[in-house]
Amino acid sequence: MNNLSGKRFAIIGAGLAGIAAARGLSQRGAVVTLLEKSRGYGGRCASKRWEGHVIDHGAQYFTMRDERFREAALAACGEALERLEKPVCDENGHELPDSGRWIHRDGNSRLARELAKGLEIRTECQIDKARSLLADFDHVVSTAPWPQTAQLFDVEPAFDYLPCLAVVLAYHGEWLGRTRETYAYSSPGTAMAWTACENHKPGRIKPDFTVLVAHLGEVFSRRHLEESPADYPALVRPMVEERWEIPASAFAGAFGHRWRLARVDAPITLPTLPPRLHFVGDALRRSRVEDAWLAGHLFAQNTSFES
Ligand SMILES: Cc1cc2nc3c(=O)[nH]c(=O)nc-3n(C[C@H](O)[C@H](O)[C@H](O)COP(=O)(O)OP(=O)(O)OC[C@H]3O[C@@H](n4cnc5c(N)ncnc54)[C@H](O)[C@@H]3O)c2cc1C
């Protein structure tokens, strides 16, 4: 691959794909600036502090099947990476295969923060037009979800992402109902596509509480997408409490989050992009933390950039 010594790259988005692309391009000699609209890094690999708990309301865990990703994640985070031991079950209570489900001890967004150490990142920097960056940069790489990137590039999106409503529910009392033995229930295609107990992530949940995260299925999410996130908890509480056998009287509080562009169900094929504008992200592979990182890493390694 050609040496990129002195070439200036702007990367839009400091999620896993953007961070991996930035690292790889820097290693080829490029001068890279990451531009992120939010205050923090990680994008959909998102965590937040809430009521004294640390919650992953985006990616729940990540796999480390690929040796390159495993090496990078371990080098950046070391012993802060922990493996979830308890099973994920289907709706009938049968355990699903486990190739290793990993979390960052302090919140999954910390994975992104650690992987980004040493990179130049401007946060709270929202880009509206990618082309205007070409006055200052030789290449612009957008890692914003493709429909947003298409807007930034002024091209037809053609592909949409699936939405996902997320709800976080806290209950008084530790390890309520069926939470102790099971980390999560996964029933893709149903309203309760995913529910998980955050207490399985050590040190994240305050003593004397049980906290559950629910990710609603596509049909349910589309139906309620435009409602206020503040109204989501009331919609899902009865379903969550029934599945986990948690008494409604233990309810302590909740919040909802709208992921309008949550994931793709198959890799997308890009149209021809304008010169010097590039897209990379999970949508080119699979909507997984590991795949987003790999997409960025491989893009940086294998792309031959015209001057
Ligand atoms: C609810 C949910 C649950 C998930 N669960 C899992 C899971 O359990 N395991 C797993 O492996 N994966 C999971 N995923 C998928 C995983 O989170 C994503 O595949 C991965 O994080 C995508 O990374 P990315 O870098 O491609 O995109 P993103 O993380 O979306 O990063 C894009 C970045 O671009 C920024 N941006 C966007 N527009 C602009 C702009 N105009 N200017 C500047 N910055 C901009 C955004 O703020 C964001 O930081 C889940 C995703 C969701 C939404």
Side-chain angles (χ1 to χ4, degrees):
M1 274 308 113
N2 51 338
N3 185 295
L4 299 175
S5 191
K7 290 262 170 273
R8 293 158 306 161
F9 281 73
I11 299 191
I12 301 171
L16 270 300
I19 289 166
R23 178 75 65 206
L25 291 169
S26 305
Q27 281 163 355
R28 282 176 66 186
V31 179
V32 183
T33 307
L34 275 153
L35 308 168
E36 168 56 52
K37 71 176 176 189
S38 307
R39 256 184 306 158
Y41 318 152
R44 282 169 279 158
C45 187
S47 317
K48 75 191 262 177
R49 282 185 188 280
W50 171 70
E51 303 284 332
H53 314 294
V54 177
I55 311 288
D56 298 320
H57 58 297
Q60 302 284 285
Y61 64 85
F62 42 89
T63 51
M64 297 199 293
R65 298 188 184 106
D66 184 275
E67 200 44 49
R68 293 159 291 188
F69 176 61
R70 171 184 282 270
E71 225 173 76
L74 284 171
C77 307
E79 290 180 0
L81 298 187
E82 289 172 354
R83 190 174 171 159
L84 290 167
E85 299 296 343
K86 292 293 178 186
V88 176
C89 295
D90 66 17
E91 61 215 85
N92 301 314
H94 299 131
E95 286 187 25
L96 297 173
D98 175 12
S99 63
R101 302 183 183 99
W102 294 85
I103 57 162
H104 191 289
R105 187 175 58 200
D106 303 323
N108 288 345
S109 63
R110 275 293 293 270
L111 170 67
R113 202 183 333 156
E114 299 300 334
L115 286 167
K117 279 215 168 121
L119 297 172
E120 191 200 328
I121 308 188
R122 294 184 205 154
T123 52
E124 298 184 83
C125 178
Q126 167 135 10
I127 306 304
D128 297 319
K129 287 276 166 226
R131 277 176 217 269
S132 56
L133 292 171
L134 290 173
D136 297 314
F137 295 93
D138 298 301
H139 293 272
V140 174
V141 182
S142 175
T143 69
W146 170 250
Q148 294 175 338
T149 293
Q151 246 182 358
L152 291 173
F153 287 3
D154 268 329
V155 299
E156 271 300 310
F159 301 97
D160 209 356
Y161 282 30
L162 309 181
C164 174
L165 309 188
V167 175
V168 176
L169 300 155
Y171 293 88
H172 293 291
E174 238 166 38
W175 298 113
L176 295 182
R178 294 156 69 177
T179 56
R180 196 181 284 278
E181 289 314 312
T182 305
Y183 159 55
Y185 288 96
S186 172
S187 318
T190 68
M192 292 276 287
W194 171 266
T195 53
C197 176
E198 290 288 279
N199 294 55
H200 289 279
K201 300 175 177 174
R204 300 270 207 97
I205 302 304
K206 276 194 314 193
D208 301 325
F209 282 90
T210 297
V211 174
L212 296 164
V213 176
H215 287 159
L216 286 307
E218 183 195 348
V219 174
F220 188 95
S221 293
R222 281 196 198 284
R223 188 176 311 138
H224 298 285
L225 193 61
E226 301 311 329
E227 294 171 31
S228 162
D231 296 333
Y232 299 163
L235 296 170
V236 301
R237 257 188 72 194
M239 294 190 283
V240 172
E241 288 161 10
E242 189 188 336
R243 170 151 302 169
W244 289 88
E245 295 174 9
I246 291 179
S249 56
F251 180 68
F255 73 88
H257 183 91
R258 180 194 291 130
W259 291 104
R260 199 178 280 284
L261 303 172
R263 62 185 176 90
V264 292
D265 54 8
I268 65 169
T269 309
L270 288 179
T272 306
L273 298 180
R276 301 196 286 139
L277 297 183
H278 313 266
F279 167 76
V280 68
D282 62 339
L284 298 179
R285 299 175 58 91
R286 248 164 41 115
S287 284
R288 293 267 135 210
V289 166
E290 174 168 23
D291 284 277
W293 185 90
L294 271 172
H297 176 76
L298 294 172
F299 168 84
Q301 277 206 329
N302 300 336
T303 310
S304 174
F305 297 92
E306 293 159 25
S307 20

